[in-house]
Amino acid sequence: MLNLLLLSSSSYKDTGYLTHAKSFIEDFLQECDIKDESILFIPYAGVRRSNEEYEIKVKESLNKNNIASIHHFANLKEAILKAKVFLVGGGNTFMLLSKLYEYDLLEILKKRIQDGACYIGWSAGSNIAGKSIKTTNDMPIIMPKSFDALNVFPYQINPHFISGKIQGHNGESREERLEEFLIANPKDEIYAIPEGSALRVQGNKIKIIGYNPVLKLSYPMKSTILELNQEYNF
């Protein structure tokens, strides 16, 4: 059964790094009965910090010593095969997916999740859980082998969703960019996750947790509000 926690962001307002997410993550680990299991961290999205720096930051922020970054392991595939919990950090989605393809880890990670391993991601880490990374907000600083992602959650994801135009910004709004995607890909659906919120996926059900409702977008730019603390089938 699928067990995913897909967070929009690492921070919410001025609460500090992963502070708002601690209780979500603890509840998730408790529900999955893996509270004391070792957690494999995948830091590849963190372009502006080293793998070591990223690991330290996450361990300190979550106050957990049972987190180990995958870069410490000589055999990356074996590390994934043995892990029961994955924690995938945010940063640049293109870099994260590119590294997973480069190290030939995408399919093995997907299979582990489908076989029951638990998955926690935020921002880029949430993006790659979806069908593809075509609805990321990130700059394409590197070209992955493909835009196809893990597809364990078989829809598009847009973290950091902000509705409307920022004052002084004359480019397209987020809704307009996502509408462009739907025009080009009318059979797809997008889950737009605002800051501070997350998708809790269990089997074929989604529960919206956090501070703001999630929008489900479909062609021709139809918007459905998914309310907090409610469960939905997908």
Side-chain angles (χ1 to χ4, degrees):
M1 183 172 67
L2 280 181
N3 268 304
L4 317 174
L5 178 62
L6 307 177
L7 300 142
S8 174
S9 54
S10 59
S11 301
Y12 181 60
K13 295 185 176 180
D14 58 355
T15 55
Y17 193 77
L18 290 175
T19 301
H20 81 287
K22 284 182 183 178
S23 61
F24 304 157
I25 292 172
E26 288 300 323
D27 289 347
F28 176 76
L29 296 174
Q30 187 73 46
E31 288 166 9
C32 297
D33 197 24
I34 48 171
K35 197 170 180 63
D36 298 320
E37 291 286 348
S38 297
I39 299 172
L40 185 66
F41 178 56
I42 298 178
Y44 299 141
V47 179
R48 291 182 293 113
R49 54 171 69 97
S50 70
N51 293 334
E52 196 75 27
E53 290 169 339
Y54 204 170
E55 177 189 34
I56 291 169
K57 185 176 183 67
V58 169
K59 288 174 75 170
E60 289 179 348
S61 298
L62 294 178
N63 193 27
K64 282 188 170 296
N65 293 318
N66 62 334
I67 297 173
S69 174
I70 195 170
H71 77 276
H72 292 301
F73 295 83
N75 189 323
L76 304 182
K77 290 183 179 179
E78 185 178 345
I80 286 178
L81 282 171
K82 290 182 176 179
K84 294 182 180 179
V85 193
F86 298 102
L87 184 66
V88 185
N92 187 279
T93 309
F94 292 91
M95 181 62 77
L96 171 58
L97 189 59
S98 180
K99 289 293 184 185
L100 291 175
Y101 273 117
E102 179 185 343
Y103 301 143
D104 193 24
L105 300 178
L106 194 72
E107 286 303 317
I108 194 171
L109 177 57
K110 177 178 181 175
K111 190 171 188 313
R112 284 293 298 122
I113 298 164
Q114 290 174 331
D115 288 346
C118 298
Y119 183 97
I120 304 165
W122 60 88
S123 189
S126 293
N127 254 320
I128 66 160
K131 183 177 178 182
S132 81
I133 64 166
K134 293 177 183 177
T135 48
T136 179
N137 308 310
D138 297 335
M139 186 174 288
I141 62 172
I142 192 169
M143 183 66 195
K145 179 182 177 182
S146 169
F147 292 150
D148 293 341
L150 287 166
N151 198 28
V152 287
F153 181 67
Y155 302 97
Q156 293 295 133
I157 295 173
N158 180 246
H160 304 289
F161 177 75
I162 299 175
S163 182
K165 288 192 178 183
I166 300 171
Q167 188 175 3
H169 175 66
N170 295 311
E172 285 79 4
S173 69
R174 189 67 55 75
E175 285 97 338
E176 289 169 337
R177 289 298 190 199
L178 296 177
E179 183 181 15
E180 290 175 341
F181 171 84
L182 289 170
I183 291 169
N185 304 272
K187 293 182 179 179
D188 283 340
E189 294 179 332
I190 306 166
Y191 285 74
I193 313 173
E195 303 292 63
S197 293
L199 305 179
R200 168 66 171 100
V201 181
Q202 188 172 26
N204 65 343
K205 293 184 181 295
I206 306 170
K207 185 176 182 180
I208 310 303
I209 63 175
Y211 300 93
N212 298 289
V214 167
L215 292 184
K216 181 181 177 182
L217 306 174
S218 57
Y219 181 82
M221 204 50 182
K222 176 186 175 183
S223 176
T224 303
I225 297 175
L226 304 182
E227 299 287 357
L228 283 173
N229 302 315
Q230 297 297 312
E231 270 194 349
Y232 300 89
N233 292 322
F234 71 89

